[in-house]
Amino acid sequence: MLFSKKFSLPLGFSFMGVNAGLKKEDLDFGVIYSTEKANAAAVFTENVLCGAPLVIGKKHLKKGFLNAIAVNSKNANVHTGEQGLRDALLTCELVAEKLNLPNAELVLPSSTGVIGEILPMDKIKRGIECLDRELGTSRKNFTNFCRAILTTDTTIKWAIVEVGKAKLVGIAKGAGMVSPSLATMLVFLLTDAKIAPHELKAMLKKSVSHSFNSLTIDGDMSTSDTVAIMANGLAGEVDLAEFYRALHSLNLHLGQKMLRDGEGITKVIELRIKNCSNSKDAEAIAKSILNSFLVKTAIFGESPNWGRIIMAIGKTKIKKIKPHLIKIFLLSRGKKILLSDVNLPQNASNYQSVLKTLKKKEVTLEIDLNLGDYEKTFWGTDVSDQSVKLNAEYIS
């Protein structure tokens, strides 16, 4: 899928990003606004201790419509009790009032940052007051919104793709607390295509399953994850199959951007699970490998210690796995380098090729289980001394 090189946003969407005072200097509050009531859908984290904005957001999306999304960084509004719920709802009410919307249910609240702190509503109100003068459709307005939602990210993440006469733009943040069942990420997908709410929801769930839910940085599931999509219909109808391909390509692209911006990471790992018996086992094996501290450090150290991968596969306790069936490959320029096969002695002549391949910033592993015909690709990262330092010192 080719992403648009020119900056051309979907019709009817405007953006704002300002410093409301949650951060000392960086932008920290943003709003997306659609002039037309948009069909909408979202998926959220599976963490049972999710944030107040998600509780409110799920209620607001029951009817399948949105006009606006209001986002703050620095403070996640998580584990804040009834006060947190009131603050998330008040944010929606104030934004709706400022934008002359008929009710607060047309606003989706979203927050990211530190857990356990009450949202400073005086600062949120200050940000909302800026809507009159800061909301716009320019590249600066758009970029300011992208900046306002960041936490430990080092760069903004977005891309645009065209589908017939319509456009689809994706905006994302995420660099840590990233694991399947969503990551510490916010993703906002906006299109001027005309698509029904139930079709949006079905396509979003399917794509997220094979994109964001197939990547991990540190194995920790956030309390604030949201992937939301709005379709205001201003560009008319599109071919749904073509739109899904564009949506999925965009989600994969944004997911890769998050991995490459992972906190302190030096390498991205692509893990292909081949010939597995079912999706549940494939995910369990992939998560065990990609979240293994020992596997991550081996990749960081460029060590061909494939025994750690064997360990990670075995600790899933999937009894149908048979050691004599497993083959582990390292892929380099389309060629497979055999790392592990219990039936064959290791080929010492592979050693230099393995070391050379492990020095690359992107490492591709293939695990052939020889148990069935299910296959799926997952993504993860290494872990470095800088990763530990960043997370040890983290207060957004």
Side-chain angles (χ1 to χ4, degrees):
M1 179 64 64
L2 294 175
F3 296 101
S4 179
K5 293 182 179 180
K6 62 181 180 180
F7 183 78
S8 180
L9 294 171
L11 299 171
F13 288 99
S14 52
F15 304 83
M16 179 195 81
V18 298
N19 174 264
L22 287 86
K23 297 177 182 176
K24 289 184 179 179
E25 295 179 356
D26 293 339
L27 306 185
D28 52 29
F29 181 77
V31 170
I32 298 171
Y33 170 59
S34 172
T35 56
E36 302 297 317
K37 186 166 72 171
N39 294 337
V43 291
F44 301 98
T45 183
E46 294 178 12
N47 193 311
V48 296
L49 299 179
C50 67
L54 278 70
V55 176
I56 300 299
K58 289 175 183 178
K59 292 179 180 178
H60 287 189
L61 274 166
K62 282 185 177 180
K63 294 180 181 178
F65 303 108
L66 286 176
N67 268 100
I69 300 173
V71 191
N72 72 272
S73 55
K74 178 65 175 176
N75 186 313
N77 194 8
V78 173
H79 205 60
T80 48
E82 292 298 321
Q83 183 63 50
L85 294 171
R86 288 193 294 270
D87 290 340
L89 181 56
L90 178 58
T91 299
C92 295
E93 291 171 344
L94 293 174
V95 169
E97 181 180 354
K98 197 71 174 176
L99 294 174
N100 295 314
L101 301 178
N103 60 70
E105 292 180 355
L106 292 170
V107 182
L108 180 75
S110 190
S111 300
T112 182
V114 176
I115 292 171
E117 295 184 0
I118 297 297
L119 201 62
M121 287 305 295
D122 57 331
K123 296 176 180 178
I124 297 297
K125 292 175 183 177
R126 189 184 308 162
I128 295 170
E129 285 300 316
C130 295
L131 275 167
D132 289 340
R133 63 179 183 275
E134 297 292 343
L135 194 66
T137 59
S138 71
R139 185 163 191 153
K140 182 179 180 181
N141 295 128
F142 177 81
T143 302
N144 283 350
F145 174 84
C146 295
R147 287 175 53 201
I149 68 176
L150 303 182
T151 50
T152 59
D153 307 66
T154 64
T155 182
I156 61 174
K157 304 169 182 70
W158 62 273
I160 299 171
V161 62
E162 296 183 1
V163 188
K165 295 181 180 180
K167 297 182 182 69
L168 171 65
V169 61
I171 304 164
K173 64 80 55 180
M177 204 183 281
V178 174
S179 184
S181 295
L182 296 190
T184 291
M185 62 186 196
L186 303 179
V187 178
F188 305 114
L189 305 158
L190 314 166
T191 182
D192 48 13
K194 185 178 181 180
I195 304 174
H198 70 279
E199 291 169 333
L200 276 180
K201 188 172 184 179
M203 286 192 281
L204 185 65
K205 289 181 69 175
K206 180 181 177 182
S207 177
V208 166
S209 174
H210 294 281
S211 56
F212 301 121
N213 275 356
S214 296
L215 60 87
T216 179
I217 291 177
D218 46 33
D220 286 322
M221 186 192 300
S222 168
T223 56
S224 302
D225 309 326
T226 300
V227 181
I229 185 166
M230 296 173 65
N232 65 21
L234 287 175
E237 295 182 352
V238 294
D239 180 274
L240 293 181
E242 184 183 356
F243 183 85
Y244 177 76
R245 288 192 293 270
L247 172 67
H248 191 55
S249 295
L250 182 57
N251 286 342
L252 286 171
H253 181 70
L254 293 173
Q256 294 299 309
K257 281 179 173 283
M258 285 191 282
L259 284 178
R260 288 175 176 82
D261 195 30
E263 294 169 346
I265 71 102
T266 69
K267 299 180 189 298
V268 171
I269 306 165
E270 180 177 313
L271 176 62
R272 303 176 184 178
I273 304 295
K274 297 278 189 177
N275 298 315
C276 191
S277 52
N278 56 64
S279 61
K280 182 179 178 182
D281 289 352
E283 182 170 333
I285 292 165
K287 288 173 70 172
S288 183
I289 294 170
L290 292 173
N291 289 331
S292 165
F293 182 76
L294 294 181
V295 171
K296 286 175 171 290
T297 52
I299 298 296
F300 170 67
E302 299 169 357
S303 167
N305 193 346
W306 53 260
R308 294 182 177 184
I309 298 174
I310 291 293
M311 171 279 298
I313 295 172
K315 75 178 184 180
T316 61
K317 301 180 183 179
I318 300 172
K319 293 183 179 180
K320 67 186 76 170
I321 295 173
K322 305 299 180 186
H324 66 281
L325 296 178
I326 300 172
K327 289 182 172 63
I328 302 175
F329 299 94
L330 182 65
L331 275 62
S332 176
R333 295 181 179 177
K335 296 182 179 180
K336 293 184 179 182
I337 304 171
L338 182 64
L339 291 181
S340 172
D341 181 349
V342 75
N343 300 307
L344 296 171
Q346 295 306 298
N347 186 351
S349 64
N350 278 343
Y351 190 70
Q352 291 304 318
S353 295
V354 170
L355 290 181
K356 184 178 179 180
T357 302
L358 288 175
K359 290 185 180 297
K360 297 178 179 179
K361 290 185 177 181
E362 297 189 10
V363 174
T364 302
L365 293 166
E366 180 177 298
I367 314 296
D368 191 338
L369 297 160
N370 286 295
L371 290 174
D373 57 7
Y374 184 83
E375 58 184 62
K376 187 174 179 180
T377 301
F378 300 82
W379 295 270
T381 67
D382 65 351
V383 63
S384 69
D385 47 359
Q386 185 65 14
S387 305
V388 176
K389 180 174 169 46
L390 281 169
N391 280 285
E393 297 174 350
Y394 171 68
I395 291 291
S396 176

